């Protein structure tokens, strides 16, 4: 099943709306299950499975952990679990957008909503910039290991000065160069031109898109009335 990128953007907005309304109960279960189905049919079965397992874990611990323990530390932990449960739909919708849509798809779809080209330029650069962060971090880790410097994730807590000096500073410098290169590449491709650019393909809403929008509309009415 292939969804238009505009449907995926609407799903992200809808998921954030569920967080604002603090959706719970059957409505929360239906929304999480629906997003998991969309992820599965989009070819992201692992993300769908992990999301469902996380939801079951969050819900179980939130429902039963405070019945056995009354310590303040446990209550704080349950509060974090509840926040993670409320944020889970946003994570699922964001994963669907980021893992199944390219920067060009996103810009092409949002251009049909007549958004400013300056905003589309920023969004296009950001979409291509995000995958560069883990790639640059891995490159820096390899370089440090060649020099006999072994940094681990826990060093961020136990050796913050060393972690900042050896990893974060080179990473930030590398990312600044990457952003400049991506911006120049986007400008070279004519993303910021005032005239209407030439499109290599056209996208339209299909039955799956309209069905997804109808589902979101029904769930939104349920949230408002609930």
């Amino acid at each position: 099943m292939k969804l238009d990128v505009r449907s995926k953007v609407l799903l992200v907005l809808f998921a954030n709306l569920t967080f604002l309304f603090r959706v719970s109960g059957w409505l929360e279960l239906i929304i999480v299950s629906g997003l998991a189905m969309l992820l599965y049919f989009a070819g992201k079965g692992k993300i769908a499975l992990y999301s469902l397992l996380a939801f079951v874990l969050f819900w179980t611990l939130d429902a039963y952990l405070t019945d056995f323990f009354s310590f303040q530390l446990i209550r704080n932990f349950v509060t974090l679990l509840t926040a993670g449960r409320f944020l889970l739909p946003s994570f699922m919708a964001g994963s669907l957008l980021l893992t199944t849509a390219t920067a060009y798809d996103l810009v092409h779809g949002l251009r049909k909503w007549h958004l400013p080209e300056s905003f589309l330029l920023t969004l296009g650069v950001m979409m291509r910039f995000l995958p560069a962060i883990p790639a640059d971090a891995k490159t820096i880790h390899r370089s440090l290991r060649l020099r006999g410097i072994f940094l681990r994730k826990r060093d961020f807590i136990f050796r913050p000065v060393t972690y900042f000096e050896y990893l974060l500073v080179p990473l930030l410098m590398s990312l600044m160069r990457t952003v400049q290169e991506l911006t120049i590449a986007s400008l070279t491709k004519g993303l910021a031109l005032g005239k209407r650019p030439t499109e290599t393909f056209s996208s339209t809403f299909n039955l799956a898109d309209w069905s997804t929008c109808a589902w979101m509309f029904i769930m939104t009415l349920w949230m408002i009335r609930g």
Side-chain angles (χ1 to χ4, degrees):
M1 182 181 67
K2 183 175 179 58
L3 290 176
D4 189 89
V5 69
R6 288 169 290 176
S7 298
K8 299 172 186 177
V9 173
L10 291 175
L11 278 170
V12 173
L13 298 177
F14 167 73
N16 291 330
L17 191 64
T18 64
F19 174 75
L20 294 177
F21 276 88
R22 297 295 193 272
V23 174
S24 60
W26 284 106
L27 180 58
E28 182 184 16
L29 178 61
I30 294 174
I31 291 174
V32 172
S33 300
L35 291 172
M37 289 181 60
L38 291 174
L39 282 167
Y40 175 78
F41 287 118
K44 302 299 175 182
K46 287 186 177 181
I47 299 179
L49 178 61
Y50 293 155
S51 299
L52 288 176
L53 292 177
F55 173 73
V56 173
L57 178 63
F58 289 164
W59 184 86
T60 303
L61 292 178
D62 187 16
Y64 296 104
L65 195 60
T66 53
D67 295 337
F68 297 99
F69 301 96
S70 59
F71 302 110
Q72 185 62 36
L73 182 61
I74 299 298
R75 294 185 178 275
N76 294 337
F77 179 66
V78 171
T79 302
L80 293 177
L81 291 176
T82 304
R85 202 184 82 200
F86 287 144
L87 287 172
L88 185 60
S90 299
F91 167 78
M92 297 172 70
S95 299
L96 179 64
L97 175 64
L98 294 176
T99 58
T100 61
T102 63
Y104 182 79
D105 293 334
L106 185 60
V107 171
H108 169 78
L110 295 182
R111 185 174 279 129
K112 292 190 174 183
W113 285 346
H114 305 288
L115 295 178
E117 290 294 325
S118 58
F119 172 77
L120 297 179
L121 173 63
T122 305
L123 191 62
V125 172
M126 183 187 71
M127 287 288 292
R128 296 184 62 188
F129 169 73
L130 292 177
I133 298 177
D136 289 352
K138 288 181 181 179
T139 302
I140 294 173
H141 269 295
R142 294 192 188 101
S143 300
L144 291 175
R145 286 171 183 166
L146 289 175
R147 292 169 173 81
I149 302 173
F150 299 93
L151 283 180
R152 299 174 179 83
K153 293 182 179 180
R154 62 173 178 266
D155 291 336
F156 178 77
I157 299 175
F158 297 105
R159 301 168 60 192
V161 177
T162 303
Y163 193 89
F164 183 81
E165 180 182 358
Y166 288 151
L167 181 65
L168 293 185
V169 172
L171 180 60
L172 291 175
M173 297 297 294
S174 177
L175 293 178
M176 288 177 61
R177 291 194 299 269
T178 302
V179 169
Q180 292 176 351
E181 293 172 357
L182 291 176
T183 304
I184 294 173
S186 299
L187 293 174
T188 303
K189 293 178 181 178
L191 188 58
L193 290 178
K195 298 181 180 180
R196 183 178 179 83
T198 303
E199 302 287 356
T200 58
F201 70 98
S202 60
S203 60
T204 56
F205 266 38
N206 53 30
L207 180 60
D209 293 299
W210 289 114
S211 301
T212 302
C213 291
W215 174 74
M216 287 189 289
F217 180 72
I218 295 173
M219 293 297 103
T220 302
L221 289 179
W222 192 350
M223 282 189 291
I224 295 174
R225 291 189 175 182

